[in-house]
Amino acid sequence: MPTLQLKVSPLQNPSRYRALAEALTRITAEELGKRAEVTAVVIDDVPAARWHVGGTDVQRPTAMLEISITQGTNTAAQKAAFIERAFAELEAQLGHGQGLEPASYVIVREVPASDWGYGGQTQAARALAKTSAAQAIAM
């Protein structure tokens, strides 16, 4: 149940949002093994006048992508591969052939299973229920 929050500047064409969400969902499934059907992508436009790097206005398209995943579910190599592919996708879709601002970021945040969930149930509770069900079947 990863969540991805993407901030982009300058304002993009809203028709691009679906393509970004689809690509980021696919990359999340392929690189991190996450289920697409519970992957949420939120895209926010930030006016260029409100995005600064080094104290000055950004001169090129800029992006910041943060993904939250359950702690301990992916290796360092998987997270590195996700960061590389996600950045390349952002650059391809938003860079307009000139690349992204060098200070564009992809951040992987690991959240303890007890601290988040969906459908009113934590990830820890879901894992426990799955383990209990598997043990019941084995008996």
Side-chain angles (χ1 to χ4, degrees):
M1 58 160 258
T3 57
L4 293 90
Q5 296 180 340
L6 174 61
K7 295 179 194 269
V8 296
S9 185
L11 302 177
Q12 298 292 320
N13 181 339
S15 66
R16 167 102 33 223
Y17 299 160
R18 181 173 295 239
L20 282 164
E22 288 172 354
L24 292 172
T25 299
R26 184 182 68 256
I27 292 166
T28 300
E30 292 171 1
E31 298 299 341
L32 299 176
K34 305 305 183 191
R35 295 176 25 221
E37 66 272 15
V38 292
T39 298
V41 179
V42 177
I43 301 172
D44 291 317
D45 285 319
V46 178
R50 291 182 34 214
W51 199 311
H52 301 85
V53 174
T56 62
D57 298 348
V58 293
Q59 301 301 307
R60 295 191 300 196
T62 307
M64 183 174 68
L65 174 65
E66 295 184 69
I67 181 172
S68 295
I69 60 173
T70 304
Q71 187 175 41
T73 59
N74 292 99
T75 66
Q78 289 171 319
K79 292 182 282 186
F82 172 82
I83 290 169
E84 183 178 347
R85 278 196 60 202
F87 186 85
E89 185 67 33
L90 294 171
E91 194 160 52
Q93 288 203 36
L94 303 173
H96 309 293
Q98 62 177 333
L100 294 177
E101 185 75 32
S104 292
Y105 300 98
V106 177
I107 303 164
V108 177
R109 296 199 188 282
E110 291 190 277
V111 181
S114 61
D115 292 358
W116 77 323
Y118 67 98
Q121 194 173 27
T122 68
Q123 289 297 82
R126 287 180 184 286
L128 181 60
K130 189 184 286 188
T131 300
S132 296
Q135 289 174 346
I137 291 171
M139 295 182 152

